[in-house]
Amino acid sequence: MVTATMLLSVFLLSSALADCSKESALFITAPKNMEALSGSCLLIPCNFSAIPDQDFNSTRTTFGVWIKHDIHFSDQTNNVIFNSSRVYNSYPMNITGDLSQKSCTTLFSRLSTNYTETYYFRIENRPFLATAVCDPQRIIVKDPPNNITENTDQTFTTKIQKTITLSDTHDGLTISCSATYPVNEGRGVKTAEERKTLSVSYAPKNTSVSISPSGLVSAAPVEPSPPPASAGSRTAKMEPSV
Ligand SMILES: *[C@@H]1O[C@H](CO)[C@@H](O)[C@H](O)[C@H]1NC(C)=O
Ligand SMILES: *[C@@H]1O[C@H](CO)[C@@H](O)[C@H](O)[C@H]1NC(C)=O
Ligand SMILES: *[C@@H]1O[C@H](CO)[C@@H](O)[C@H](O)[C@H]1NC(C)=O
Ligand SMILES: *[C@@H]1O[C@H](CO)[C@@H](O)[C@H](O)[C@H]1NC(C)=O
Ligand SMILES: *[C@@H]1O[C@H](CO)[C@@H](O)[C@H](O)[C@H]1NC(C)=O
Ligand SMILES: *[C@@H]1O[C@H](CO)[C@@H](O)[C@H](O)[C@H]1NC(C)=O
Ligand SMILES: *[C@@H]1O[C@H](CO)[C@@H](O)[C@H](O)[C@H]1NC(C)=O
């Protein structure tokens, strides 16, 4: 047992942590952990600084590089998944930030779950070459809930069905439904909200209330059914769509 624990700690030390304890010449500021849905894209807001600062000179050609999994890429060149000097890269990434202004903001497109990894940023501004070994960037890509469907016009629809038992004490109650979604390549979020006031004044029926934050709001009774034993019980449905 003791042996196993020691082996584990040796293994952990041999990875990034050990390299970070050496003096790093490059640091980035970016969200450490990011999560995104497969099929979407992710904007990584990022800036960097060189230590010492004068080693980086923006008048020289600058390349930004993303390396996956392990900072030691010389014998694993497949881990160099993006190099801004190249037109074709193995990962659908682009540095949209201005490297000369020390921005390493990166757009990661067409995400799929197999891109869940730890990434390291590197600057090549010869003779200044440095990898931000102390700033691993963790990205988790998850599959969206399978009840989200993509429409032909690039919008998405999801349905959330909630059954609540109503009585006339709920008359005038407001049901609100909101949906939050990323806009502008992930730079911001938007929230759509709709409210619907319940009217529970007539004999119980199987009623469906449909709320759609994108604009459409409708309420329609479906399948009139005989009043159940517990008077005043009915079903409400909320269907937000964005
Ligand atoms: C990134 O920019 C922010 C705000 O300007 C600054 O506080 C931070 O130190 C910068 N990070 C690096 C690594 O240069
Ligand atoms: C950057 O390089 C240019 C040209 O080589 C030089 O003139 C300038 O002084 C350098 N800037 C710094 C801050 O070292
Ligand atoms: C990035 O591209 C430049 C120019 O082609 C090359 O010199 C450099 O070795 C590449 N960097 C890595 C980490 O592969
Ligand atoms: C990256 O940017 C270039 C030039 O703007 C563009 O041609 C290319 O399609 C982009 N790649 C991705 C994966 O978005
Ligand atoms: C990840 O999956 C996508 C889509 O299935 C595929 O195109 C891509 O080559 C895969 N990449 C890696 C590194 O496995
Ligand atoms: C959609 O999926 C989520 C997560 O799997 C689940 O919680 C929710 O109840 C589902 N909604 C419907 C209408 O199936
Ligand atoms: C209301 O209708 C749904 C399907 O439309 C049905 O499953 C449910 O049993 C009905 N409820 C009542 C109280 O009749």
Side-chain angles (χ1 to χ4, degrees):
M1 252 309 140
V2 172
T3 317
T5 310
M6 284 178 68
L7 278 173
L8 183 65
S9 47
V10 169
F11 173 74
L12 282 174
L13 267 176
S14 72
S15 68
L17 279 173
D19 296 290
C20 179
S21 66
K22 281 192 247 158
E23 267 180 37
S24 177
L26 185 72
F27 292 88
I28 66 167
T29 299
K32 292 222 176 309
N33 297 290
M34 295 188 87
E35 226 176 84
L37 293 180
S38 62
S40 71
C41 60
L42 179 68
L43 189 82
I44 308 165
C46 172
N47 62 340
F48 65 87
S49 56
I51 309 287
D53 203 34
Q54 59 272 20
D55 284 1
F56 176 82
N57 187 328
S58 62
T59 64
R60 301 192 302 257
T61 306
T62 307
F63 299 131
V65 175
W66 282 101
I67 300 157
K68 71 169 180 182
H69 197 61
D70 188 349
I71 55 166
H72 303 105
F73 58 85
S74 50
D75 53 344
Q76 303 160 85
T77 49
N78 279 351
N79 283 351
V80 180
I81 47 110
F82 180 85
N83 186 332
S84 67
S85 74
R86 299 186 204 141
V87 179
Y88 298 104
N89 283 288
S90 55
Y91 276 39
M93 289 176 136
N94 253 340
I95 294 179
T96 57
D98 182 351
L99 291 171
S100 72
Q101 298 301 308
K102 299 187 175 176
S103 169
C104 41
T105 296
T106 300
L107 184 63
F108 201 155
S109 324
R110 299 194 301 278
L111 292 172
S112 68
T113 51
N114 58 2
Y115 294 153
T116 296
E117 250 298 356
T118 299
Y119 298 88
Y120 295 91
F121 184 69
R122 177 177 170 82
I123 278 290
E124 301 201 344
N125 174 245
R126 286 176 187 276
F128 177 73
L129 301 171
T131 305
V133 296
C134 293
D135 298 321
Q137 176 69 44
R138 181 91 187 131
I139 293 175
I140 296 167
V141 184
K142 288 183 171 169
D143 278 328
N146 57 12
N147 49 26
I148 290 187
T149 55
E150 188 173 1
N151 308 318
T152 48
D153 62 352
Q154 322 270 286
T155 62
F156 294 86
T157 301
T158 189
K159 288 186 181 180
I160 302 153
Q161 190 165 321
K162 184 137 178 75
T163 303
I164 43 179
T165 303
L166 298 172
S167 71
D168 50 9
T169 61
H170 292 102
D171 192 25
L173 206 77
T174 301
I175 294 180
S176 84
C177 173
S178 69
T180 301
Y181 51 99
V183 292
N184 194 12
E185 295 179 335
R187 288 178 186 84
V189 292
K190 255 196 162 153
T191 299
E193 187 177 0
E194 284 295 338
R195 287 165 187 276
K196 188 78 197 161
T197 303
L198 291 176
S199 165
V200 194
S201 51
Y202 43 85
K205 272 188 214 163
N206 202 345
T207 302
S208 156
V209 178
S210 172
I211 298 181
S212 151
S214 57
L216 216 79
V217 180
S218 61
V222 290
E223 293 174 33
S225 54
S230 59
S233 162
R234 78 177 75 174
T235 312
K237 271 186 202 169
M238 289 188 287
E239 292 186 1
S241 74
V242 180

